[in-house]
Amino acid sequence: MIFGIIKPYPSPLISGRGIDLDFPLLAGCLALLGLGLVMITSASSEVAAVQSGNPLYHMIRHLVYVALGLGACGVTMMVPIATWQRMGFMMLIGAFGLLVLVLVPGIGREVNGSMRWIGFSFFNVQPSEIAKVFVVIYLAGYLVRRQTEVRESWMGFFKPFIVLLPMAGLLLMEPDFGATVVMMGAAAAMLFLGGVGLFRFSLMVVLAVVAVFVLVQAQPYRMARLITFTDPWSDQFGSGYQLTQALIAFGRGEWLGVGLGNSVQKQFYLPEAHTDFVFSVLAEELGVVGSLCTVALFVFVTIRALYIGLWAEKAKQFFAAYMAFGLAFLWIGQFLINIGVNVGLLPTKGLTLPFLSYGGSSLVICCACVGLLLRIEWESRTHLGSEEHEFKESDFAEETSHGR
């Protein structure tokens, strides 16, 4: 199927100007990928040595995921944005199918009490990571098709929730509360940028807060997490264990850290040190300075993604603009929740840190999103991104400066 939609149209990788990419975004994302590889190698070495006998086991697997992610980035850059727009509804159906499939016994794989993965022989696929991006693509198309209705009527505002609420319900059945919050937050931000009035948007925020409160009350373990994170030291060796160990890691790091590879918390004190809590190990080894530089890098790539959406909007490529905004908000949501959990500002949630955490699905999808953003930036800058346009070599005769 995918080879049928990749046609020899010009792209950021194939043009008369050679490789024509938004290098600031690419450089920022590659820097995060490199930093993630280094930190996963460090954070997982002790666990990998005990579990597999090879301290580099997780690093090698992560390198494979990086290679797959870069391949996914290249593929998404080759596909015209108009193709993604046409496939929006199919992707929505696919997202529902994956989220239902993961709940089927024998297909979905249970880890730590959650059915979030579809297991294959050598790797696992996390459908929620794919579903979040597919929802963004579908919602971007809806905002373009129903722009006037969304801005002027209640029905246009409520229609997306006919799709979003059942999908949120499937995510909660896994359960994956963090992915649900990120998906709904990105959708809300897209609706706001799509022109939803302030009153209707405020009502949506109020309803969302009420829904979160009800969901927290519905499950005792969520309420326990909510109570514990406010004072994790009250149950230091029980429900507050993970957070207290993360805070100890931050405290040991001080300003400049204990040095790369010298973390003590990764030695079986801090659970999930190379996945959900890799930022805590980074803070311990690189200190406040390294942590702030990492945060600055995240801020840079997310702001760059938002600017790519703004440039697409100025070029009147509204579907591409909404998609860029949605992808940026997916990154922002995961970044804020993961960092918030690591520093104790939010209750503990199993949500990976984009580009840095160990995990194949998350990394590959993040790289694919980078490819989509690079394609959006290229199409908005060259105005040659429509596959209905018949390209000629003369279209690329004159160099186009980024000017950004």
Side-chain angles (χ1 to χ4, degrees), residues 326-344:
L327 296 176
F329 281 112
L330 287 180
W331 286 354
I332 292 170
Q334 287 193 228
F335 165 70
L336 290 177
I337 291 176
N338 184 278
I339 299 294
V341 166
N342 275 254
V343 301

Side-chain angles (χ1 to χ4, degrees), residues 239-262:
S239 57
Y241 178 78
Q242 201 167 27
L243 179 54
T244 55
Q245 297 304 313
L247 294 176
I248 290 172
F250 278 91
R252 292 193 73 252
E254 298 184 348
W255 286 101
L256 298 177
V258 298
L260 188 63
N262 294 327

Side-chain angles (χ1 to χ4, degrees), residues 51-84:
Q51 292 181 347
S52 68
N54 180 7
L56 300 180
Y57 173 78
H58 289 108
M59 184 209 76
I60 295 170
R61 287 178 64 90
H62 192 73
L63 273 173
V64 174
Y65 295 145
V66 170
L68 291 173
L70 294 177
C73 179
V75 169
T76 53
M77 272 193 286
M78 299 290 286
V79 181
I81 297 301
T83 301
W84 298 106

Side-chain angles (χ1 to χ4, degrees), residues 68-148:
L68 291 173
L70 294 177
C73 179
V75 169
T76 53
M77 272 193 286
M78 299 290 286
V79 181
I81 297 301
T83 301
W84 298 106
Q85 186 173 3
R86 287 198 303 272
M87 294 174 61
F89 184 73
M90 294 173 57
M91 289 182 170
L92 181 69
I93 299 300
F96 271 108
L98 287 172
L99 293 179
V100 170
L101 203 60
V102 76
L103 298 174
V104 177
I107 297 179
R109 181 184 176 191
E110 183 175 348
V111 179
N112 296 330
S114 298
M115 295 277 288
R116 300 180 185 176
W117 294 268
I118 296 176
F120 294 93
S121 56
F122 297 106
F123 62 96
N124 297 318
V125 174
Q126 192 169 359
S128 60
E129 295 290 340
I130 302 172
K132 287 183 293 187
V133 176
F134 284 5
V135 164
V136 165
I137 294 173
Y138 172 79
L139 189 55
Y142 174 82
L143 290 173
V144 171
R145 294 191 306 272
R146 306 286 185 176
Q147 189 174 57
T148 302

Side-chain angles (χ1 to χ4, degrees), residues 312-380:
E313 189 174 31
K314 288 182 176 179
K316 300 189 183 304
Q317 298 175 1
F318 296 109
F319 171 79
Y322 292 136
M323 187 163 66
F325 291 141
L327 296 176
F329 281 112
L330 287 180
W331 286 354
I332 292 170
Q334 287 193 228
F335 165 70
L336 290 177
I337 291 176
N338 184 278
I339 299 294
V341 166
N342 275 254
V343 301
L345 292 176
L346 294 172
T348 303
K349 288 306 306 169
L351 204 62
T352 57
L353 187 61
F355 299 104
L356 258 69
S357 292
Y358 177 81
S361 297
S362 175
L363 186 65
V364 172
I365 292 299
C366 281
C367 291
C369 291
V370 174
L372 289 172
L373 289 167
L374 291 172
R375 178 79 194 197
I376 291 169
E377 190 277 336
W378 179 79
E379 290 195 9
S380 66

